[in-house]
Amino acid sequence: MPYEKVGKNEPVCIADEVPFEIPESWEWVTLKMIAITELGKTLDKAKNQGDYKPYLCSINVYWNGIDLTTVKEARFEENEISKYELKKGDLLICEGGDVGRSAIWENEQEMYYQNALHRVRFYGGINPYYFRLLMECYKGNKILDKKSKGMTIKHLVQSALNAIYFPLPPIQEQQRIVNKFQSLIPILEQYNTSEIKLSNLNISFPDLLKKSILQEAVQGKLVPQDPNDEPASVLLERIRAEKQKLIAEGKIKKDKHESIIFRRDNSHYEKRGSEEVCIDDEIPFELPTGWCWCRFSTICYKLTDGSHNPPPKRANGFRVISARNIKNGRILFTDEDRLCDQNGFNKENPRTQISKGDVILGIIGGSIGNTAIYGYDEPVIAQRSIAIFGSLINNKYMKLLLDSPLFQQQFNSKSNGTAQGGIYLGELANMLVPLPPVNEQNRILASISFLENKIVTM
C-alpha cells in the first residue's frame, strides 16, 4: 500500500488517491518532491520600466511542441530575468484553457513565460520527456481535469498541480519508455490515418451504396428480366401514339426532329426526321433484352424550365417555387417562398403548367442534380433554377433515372457558366435514357424501396 509522510506527521495511506498500480522499483511522487514548479510572470501592460523580452503563453504550447510563430514581448525588470527565463529542458504546462497541455522548451535562445503557464524544472536528471508523456496520459484519463477548478473556464492552479501523484520509474527506464514511444509514433500516425479513412468510409458508405444500387438499376442488373414482360419498344410505340394525340388536341407542339433509336447490323442507329446516324459512340453500356435506348425528349410531353424573368413579388398570391424548395426528394413550401399576383401567374403558367406528379430537377449552381416529385394540388409557377419534366412513363422511375450516377455525372460535366453553372434544356432533352419494360420498372422501384429501408437501419 502506498503511504505518504509529510514532515513529522504520521504516514498516511494514499491508496485512494493514486490512479493505478506501479512496479516495485517505481515510486509515487509529487512534482514538488522532484522539481521546482513556478507560475510565469503576471504581465502589467502599464509598466514602463525594464527591457522588452519575448515570452510564451498558452497559445504557444501544444502537445507536439512549442509554436514560435506568434511570440509577444513585455517588459521584464532586472530582478525578474533569472526567475522567469526558460532553460533548455523546462517542461511547460498550461494553467488554463486546455489545462495540462504540455511541451518542452528545447531551444537555447532567450525566452520567458507568463502566468498562463507552469514551468517545471526537474532535479537529478529526471527525464522531462517522460513527464510530458505522463501529462498527456493524465489528460487523456481526465485526471488533470478533475484536479482543475472553475465551471466555464478550468484552471490548474499551482497547489493542485503540486498535489497530484505521479509514478516515477528509474532514470534508465524513463529513457526506455520515451524511446519506445518515439518508435511507436509512425505506427500511431498510420493507425490514425487508417482510422480517419474508415470513419469517412462509414459516413459515406450509405450514400455510395445507394448510388451503386441506382446504377445497377438503370443498367438492368438490379432485378432479373422476365421474358413475359411487354418489351420497352411497345411502350415507346404507345408513348409516340399518346404524343400524337396530344399534338392533335393542340396541347403540345410537334417535334420536327423526333428521335427513334433502333438496332441494325448489331449497331445502334438514330433516326431524326429523314436522317439516320450510327450512335454507337454515344451508347455507355449494353442493355438487357427487352430494354431500349431513347432520348428524354421521347418520353416527355413537357420539358421546360421556370421563368427567366419572374413576376414582381407580392405579399400574397401564387407561389413561385425554385431549387430552394427541393428538400430530400420532395418539394416543400416555406414562409420565405416568393409570391406573385394573378396577372403574374397567368403570364408564366402557360410556360410550365406544373401539376401533381411532375418531376422537378435543379439545374442552376449548387442545386444541379437535386430532384423531387411535385406532390401538391396547389397551382404554382417556377423560377429559372428548376426544370420540369412531364413524363409519359412512371414518374418515380423518371426520378430514379435522374438520381442515378449515369445522369448525375452528366449533369456535372454538362453544367455550363462561369460564376454559376447551369444545364440547358436542349442538353437535358438530348440525354440518352435506358428504358426497361413497364413491369420491370415496377420491380426495380419495389426492390429499391426495400433496399433503401435496409440502408436506413444500417
Side-chain angles (χ1 to χ4, degrees):
M1 300 288 285
Y3 281 79
E4 181 180 21
K5 186 177 188 302
V6 180
K8 297 181 179 180
N9 297 326
E10 289 295 318
V12 177
C13 181
I14 58 171
D16 293 336
E17 298 184 58
V18 297
F20 44 77
E21 294 290 329
I22 57 175
E24 288 290 334
S25 60
W26 293 33
E27 297 287 348
W28 285 108
V29 298
T30 60
L31 288 179
K32 62 185 178 181
M33 296 168 56
I34 58 171
I36 298 174
T37 63
E38 295 282 358
L39 266 178
K41 173 182 169 60
T42 301
L43 301 179
D44 183 0
K45 294 182 179 180
K47 180 180 287 189
N48 55 15
Q49 293 183 351
D51 296 330
Y52 279 99
K53 300 291 185 180
Y55 70 89
L56 301 179
C57 57
S58 58
I59 63 170
N60 301 105
V61 174
Y62 295 91
W63 292 113
N64 61 352
I66 305 290
D67 180 8
L68 296 178
T69 55
T70 303
V71 176
K72 300 178 181 179
E73 290 188 345
R75 288 182 181 273
F76 284 74
E77 295 180 5
E78 187 175 347
N79 61 354
E80 297 174 322
I81 297 297
S82 61
K83 182 178 181 180
Y84 297 118
E85 186 176 8
L86 293 174
K87 293 183 178 179
K88 186 176 182 179
D90 284 348
L91 175 66
L92 295 171
I93 303 171
C94 291
E95 186 270 350
D98 185 15
V99 295
R101 192 172 65 210
S102 306
I104 295 168
W105 177 249
E106 298 178 314
N107 299 316
E108 299 285 358
Q109 70 188 75
E110 183 181 26
M111 186 63 67
Y112 300 82
Y113 67 108
Q114 55 98 257
N115 66 338
L117 296 173
H118 296 283
R119 185 204 66 192
V120 182
R121 186 170 292 166
F122 293 97
Y123 302 132
I126 289 176
N127 194 320
Y129 293 93
Y130 164 75
F131 267 86
R132 197 218 65 83
L133 293 177
L134 196 53
M135 295 299 295
E136 191 167 2
C137 171
Y138 272 34
K139 180 68 176 179
N141 289 325
K142 308 296 183 183
I143 296 172
L144 297 181
D145 291 330
K146 290 176 182 177
K147 295 290 185 179
S148 302
K149 298 180 180 180
M151 297 295 293
T152 305
I153 301 176
K154 296 285 187 179
H155 289 274
L156 183 62
V157 300
Q158 192 168 26
S159 59
L161 176 64
N162 285 333
I164 297 174
Y165 293 100
F166 293 100
L168 182 70
I171 294 289
Q172 294 82 356
E173 190 168 350
Q174 294 175 30
Q175 189 60 51
R176 292 199 300 271
I177 290 171
V178 172
N179 292 344
K180 183 65 174 179
F181 183 79
Q182 292 295 327
S183 70
L184 292 174
I185 286 178
I187 300 173
L188 294 174
E189 291 175 348
Q190 184 179 1
Y191 176 85
N192 183 57
T193 301
S194 299
E195 196 278 334
I196 291 172
K197 288 181 179 178
L198 178 60
S199 178
N200 291 337
L201 180 60
N202 286 333
I203 293 170
S204 63
F205 179 73
D207 185 55
L208 293 174
L209 179 57
K210 183 178 179 179
K211 289 179 180 177
S212 177
I213 290 170
L214 291 176
Q215 186 64 22
E216 292 286 287
V218 300
Q219 290 188 234
K221 298 178 180 181
L222 185 63
V223 298
Q225 281 71 50
D226 186 339
N228 297 317
D229 287 345
E230 177 188 83
S233 58
V234 177
L235 170 61
L236 285 174
E237 289 298 326
R238 283 204 306 275
I239 289 174
R240 293 187 184 99
E242 180 67 21
K243 292 179 78 172
Q244 288 298 322
K245 180 182 176 182
L246 294 173
I247 291 169
E249 294 172 352
K251 294 181 178 179
I252 64 173
K253 294 181 179 181
K254 183 178 180 179
D255 185 355
K256 296 180 181 180
H257 302 285
E258 182 184 10
S259 168
I260 300 176
I261 297 174
F262 59 93
R263 297 291 297 270
R264 185 173 66 202
D265 301 330
N266 207 31
S267 289
H268 295 83
Y269 286 84
E270 182 175 20
K271 182 179 179 182
R272 289 199 169 191
S274 60
E275 184 182 18
E276 289 185 4
V277 179
C278 179
I279 59 169
D280 280 345
D281 58 340
E282 292 186 54
I283 303 298
F285 48 79
E286 288 296 321
L287 294 178
T289 302
W291 288 49
C292 288
W293 287 105
C294 64
R295 304 282 181 181
F296 266 130
S297 59
T298 302
I299 58 176
C300 293
Y301 65 86
K302 173 177 63 181
L303 176 50
T304 185
D305 59 358
S307 174
H308 293 225
N309 186 23
K313 294 181 181 180
R314 293 291 184 263
N316 49 57
F318 296 89
R319 292 183 191 273
V320 184
I321 63 172
S322 69
R324 291 181 299 178
N325 295 98
I326 303 176
K327 303 290 183 182
N328 299 321
R330 300 170 58 197
I331 294 293
L332 298 181
F333 295 154
T334 72
D335 294 337
E336 288 76 35
D337 289 345
R338 187 187 187 110
L339 302 176
C340 72
D341 59 18
Q342 185 71 58
N343 289 334
F345 178 83
N346 292 341
K347 178 183 177 181
E348 295 295 338
N349 185 51
R351 176 186 181 86
T352 55
Q353 296 183 345
I354 299 172
S355 57
K356 192 173 184 178
D358 283 352
V359 178
I360 309 295
L361 172 70
I363 57 172
I364 294 292
S367 74
I368 291 176
N370 294 340
T371 65
I373 294 177
Y374 187 72
Y376 301 94
D377 294 316
E378 179 180 330
V380 295
I381 59 174
Q383 295 190 58
R384 162 75 178 92
S385 58
I386 61 175
I388 302 98
F389 292 80
S391 172
L392 291 167
I393 67 170
N394 188 316
N395 62 349
K396 292 183 180 178
Y397 189 77
M398 171 68 83
K399 182 179 183 303
L400 180 153
L401 286 169
L402 296 172
D403 286 337
S404 70
L406 173 66
F407 290 97
Q408 290 291 317
Q409 290 166 7
Q410 291 184 75
F411 297 152
N412 291 332
S413 64
K414 291 180 181 295
S415 60
N416 297 294
T418 52
Q420 190 176 42
I423 304 174
Y424 294 123
L425 291 180
E427 292 174 330
L428 287 174
N430 200 46
M431 288 184 180
L432 282 167
V433 175
L435 186 66
V438 172
N439 288 342
E440 189 167 348
Q441 291 178 34
N442 295 332
R443 293 198 299 273
I444 289 171
L445 290 169
S447 178
I448 286 179
S449 178
F450 172 79
L451 292 172
E452 284 182 341
N453 288 332
K454 292 289 186 182
I455 293 173
V456 168
T457 58
M458 288 176 63

